[in-house]
Amino acid sequence: MPTKLPNPARTSGATISSWFGTASPLPTFEPLAENAKADVVIIGGGIAGLTTAYLLSKEGRKVILLEDGELASGESGRTTAHLSFALDDHYTTLENLFGEEGARLAAESHSAAVDMIEDIVRTENIDCDFTRLDGFMFLHADGTHQDLTDELEAAHRAGLPDVELLTNAGTVGFEPGECLRWPGQGQFHILKYLTGLTQAIVMQGGRICTHTRVSEVHGGAHAHVVTQDGFEVKAKKGIVVATNTPFNDRVVMHTKQHPYRTYVVGARVPKGSVTKALYWDMADPYHYVRLQEVESGPRGGQVNYDLLIVGGEDHKTGQADDPEARLRCLEEWTRDRFPMVQDFEYRWSGQVMEPTDGLGYAGRNPLDSDNVFIITGDSGHGMTHGTLGPMIVADLIENRENPWAKLYDPGRITLKRESAQEYIKENVNVAIEYTELLTGGDVSSVDEIPNGSGAVMRRGITKVAVYKDEKGATHECSAICPHLHCVVHWNGLEKSWDCPCHGSRFTALGELLNGPAGTGLAPA
């Protein structure tokens, strides 16, 4: 049975999201300490892994979920928790790539994911602030009326007839002007939701082990995983890798999706000063906004404010050295549009995987055994994709037909020119990063590194990642990512080493934060 952590769970960086500041920590569990057996082994303790465990255990399957940190310690704890089927890549784009039927299935699946979350909340009686509300898509500075009408018509063709064009939203505190209204969207408190999901899994007989890192995944007739501590878990029906990006795949999936950092600020606003809704603009990268109600202050005292959560300013992981500047831009954008903003209380970043054709992946792992499944490529919709992906995988494991399986098949090839161009552009970008193996370092001397910061230095034929702690002591490890050998970059906001090629991330001391790398940075 779970025990409570005395302190908030570790997250994948130095910043803490508003979710950890406004909810109790999730339950923690004992690490796996012996060999075990299950119908299905699930790797990853975020929304995708926990939802998969919930759905399968509800069907009577014996499940074991293995998480290398604490539950929600990866990207699920860094979301903004929008529940939306107004998709980031827009239905105009999806229709061009997948046809009208593909766009319709995308709308249907993400809408069904919101319905599934609502059903789980009701069935399990989870108190997680779930609510349905309107979403408003508005123009950025260079946007046109035609952009909105094109998207409106594509949304209608995708089976969303209730989307409507408005000359103004009629909202309080923020008036986006001409916009599309998307009724029936949702939001919730992700940590409260995952706490309820965890409790339901345990009640249904599921087993969860935290601080258990899986190092090997083997499919086939004798499917099993091996943990870093050498324990083996056999899987009778299958293995599901739900770790944001699959660590068990060396190359294939990492040419089809690419990592981006996105930034978030949480600002105090007076209660009732902004209409509770979801808001997005049509910029690239776009901005996204929602409210988080704050129920009480320290020691249960009453508060008279809510949090306005605003995200944006995305860039390729490891390919920008200005996170503080991006957060300042986000704060300025927020103040320009929401003059009632008081203090900025939270600042954090997260990582999203962007497929080259705009839709995530859920199903059988390409070039692998039929009983090894992956859920990845959230494309900025981690909450809904982290729900519809498990719905697909659960059907595949139970040998049921699923109407969305082909659309989200990880082995799919999208032949449209736009997708091919994006594939080439992203992979050329990765190839260019390898030239850093031949360049000099960020600094030539340790003396140039401020306390509490890091930099890459050239040392002979290789490069070294040097971190200088707050007391001035230096800590060194290899700057070469163990996945496919790119040179990592220092992330001053999250105090991490980030790989600019495929998104692996490591602590300041070189310990693995997230894959696709399977180990930390080597000693210098």
Side-chain angles (χ1 to χ4, degrees):
M1 292 297 292
T3 56
K4 284 290 186 180
L5 280 175
N7 297 304
R10 174 183 67 83
T11 64
S12 58
T15 61
I16 299 295
S17 73
S18 63
W19 313 115
F20 287 97
T22 54
S24 300
L26 268 73
T28 189
F29 298 82
E30 295 295 323
L32 184 71
E34 74 286 317
N35 295 335
K37 297 179 181 180
D39 292 326
V40 182
V41 176
I42 300 153
I43 307 167
I47 187 170
L50 287 167
T51 303
T52 304
Y54 173 82
L55 294 177
L56 289 170
S57 62
K58 195 173 181 65
E59 295 204 45
R61 293 296 180 186
K62 181 180 179 182
V63 301
I64 294 181
L65 184 146
L66 307 176
E67 160 61 40
D68 72 344
E70 295 292 343
L71 300 179
S73 62
E75 299 312 311
S76 289
R78 292 176 166 270
T79 179
T80 53
H82 288 233
L83 302 176
S84 173
F85 43 88
L87 301 183
D88 298 358
D89 288 279
H90 302 155
Y91 286 101
T92 48
T93 301
L94 294 175
E95 184 179 286
N96 184 50
L97 291 172
F98 298 98
E100 282 192 29
E101 178 64 8
R104 185 190 68 77
L105 290 172
E108 177 185 279
S109 57
H110 281 270
S111 178
V114 182
D115 293 342
M116 173 62 77
I117 290 169
E118 184 173 32
D119 182 65
I120 292 172
V121 168
R122 182 172 55 249
T123 300
E124 304 300 339
N125 195 27
I126 301 174
D127 182 8
C128 62
D129 309 329
F130 176 89
T131 186
R132 293 278 189 167
L133 70 177
D134 287 337
F136 296 97
M137 178 181 288
F138 58 97
L139 293 171
H140 61 289
D142 299 324
T144 67
H145 172 77
Q146 192 64 44
D147 294 333
L148 289 174
T149 57
D150 287 348
E151 184 64 9
L152 175 71
E153 292 167 2
H156 288 175
R157 290 191 296 270
L160 300 172
D162 293 335
V163 178
E164 61 177 336
L165 177 65
L166 303 176
T167 55
N168 62 77
T171 49
V172 173
F174 174 59
E175 176 49 68
E178 188 180 30
C179 61
L180 297 183
R181 184 180 76 92
W182 301 72
Q185 311 302 293
Q187 68 177 41
F188 64 174
H189 192 298
I190 179 59
L191 294 192
K192 294 178 182 179
Y193 176 70
L194 294 185
T195 295
L197 208 55
T198 300
Q199 293 167 346
I201 293 166
V202 173
M203 290 291 292
Q204 290 166 183
R207 182 178 178 187
I208 298 174
C209 298
T210 54
H211 295 280
T212 301
R213 175 166 291 159
V214 173
S215 56
E216 299 176 29
V217 175
H218 302 278
H222 303 287
H224 66 281
V225 304
V226 180
T227 71
Q228 196 171 51
D229 294 327
F231 298 114
E232 180 180 289
V233 185
K234 295 180 179 179
K236 181 179 178 182
K237 294 287 291 183
I239 301 166
V240 182
V241 179
T243 53
N244 185 252
T245 189
F247 69 94
N248 56 314
D249 181 87
R250 186 72 172 169
V251 177
V252 176
M253 292 307 301
H254 308 301
T255 66
K256 301 172 70 170
Q257 61 177 7
H258 302 276
Y260 281 75
R261 298 303 293 177
T262 186
Y263 295 85
V264 189
V265 294
R268 293 187 180 196
V269 295
K271 279 190 176 294
S273 63
V274 179
T275 295
K276 187 176 179 180
L278 305 183
Y279 305 90
W280 324 268
D281 65 16
M282 298 182 77
D284 185 16
Y286 77 115
H287 299 86
Y288 45 100
V289 183
R290 60 158 288 188
L291 282 173
Q292 176 186 330
E293 294 179 327
V294 180
E295 297 174 356
S296 62
R299 299 180 183 177
Q302 293 299 308
V303 296
N304 60 354
Y305 69 91
D306 287 324
L307 282 174
L308 184 73
I309 298 175
V310 182
E313 299 296 323
D314 303 12
H315 66 79
K316 284 291 291 289
T317 297
Q319 296 189 25
D321 57 4
D322 57 352
E324 289 291 342
R326 290 175 184 271
L327 286 168
R328 286 195 298 272
C329 285
L330 209 51
E331 290 178 355
E332 291 171 6
W333 186 94
T334 303
R335 285 194 184 279
D336 286 345
R337 288 157 182 81
F338 297 91
M340 73 291 294
V341 160
Q342 299 168 352
D343 296 333
F344 284 90
E345 193 165 338
Y346 294 94
R347 305 162 90 233
W348 77 90
S349 69
Q351 186 148 303
V352 297
M353 302 303 299
E354 289 289 353
T356 55
D357 62 9
L359 285 180
Y361 303 102
R364 292 183 171 88
N365 190 36
L367 306 182
D368 208 334
S369 301
D370 281 351
N371 54 357
V372 177
F373 305 86
I374 59 173
I375 302 170
T376 186
D378 52 68
S379 191
H381 286 267
M383 301 298 95
T384 49
H385 184 257
T387 302
L388 72 88
M391 294 165 73
I392 293 171
V393 168
D395 281 346
L396 294 176
I397 288 174
E398 297 298 334
N399 295 314
R400 289 190 296 256
E401 291 291 325
N402 184 287
W404 318 317
K406 183 178 179 181
L407 183 67
Y408 293 96
D409 180 8
R412 71 176 183 264
I413 298 173
T414 309
L415 297 177
K416 289 283 188 174
R417 183 179 69 177
E418 292 82 358
S419 177
Q421 289 174 335
E422 188 69 14
Y423 180 92
I424 292 168
K425 183 188 79 172
E426 289 285 8
N427 284 288
V428 166
N429 173 273
V430 170
I432 290 172
E433 289 299 323
Y434 281 100
T435 62
E436 290 216 10
L437 292 166
L438 307 175
T439 64
D442 301 328
V443 297
S444 57
S445 166
V446 171
D447 295 337
E448 298 176 51
I449 304 174
N451 288 4
S453 186
V456 172
M457 296 180 61
R458 174 161 291 284
R459 188 165 294 163
I461 63 171
T462 190
K463 286 190 168 182
V464 177
V466 182
Y467 169 65
K468 184 183 288 187
D469 64 28
E470 299 293 347
K471 296 181 179 180
T474 58
H475 308 267
E476 298 184 357
C477 51
S478 171
I480 309 303
C481 176
H483 175 231
L484 289 176
H485 313 304
C486 278
V487 177
V488 298
H489 293 178
W490 176 248
N491 179 336
L493 177 69
E494 301 296 354
K495 306 296 183 185
S496 63
W497 298 105
D498 297 354
C499 177
C501 290
H502 303 107
S504 298
R505 299 182 58 247
F506 311 86
T507 69
L509 302 181
E511 302 158 323
L512 181 64
L513 277 176
N514 61 268
T519 62
L521 298 174

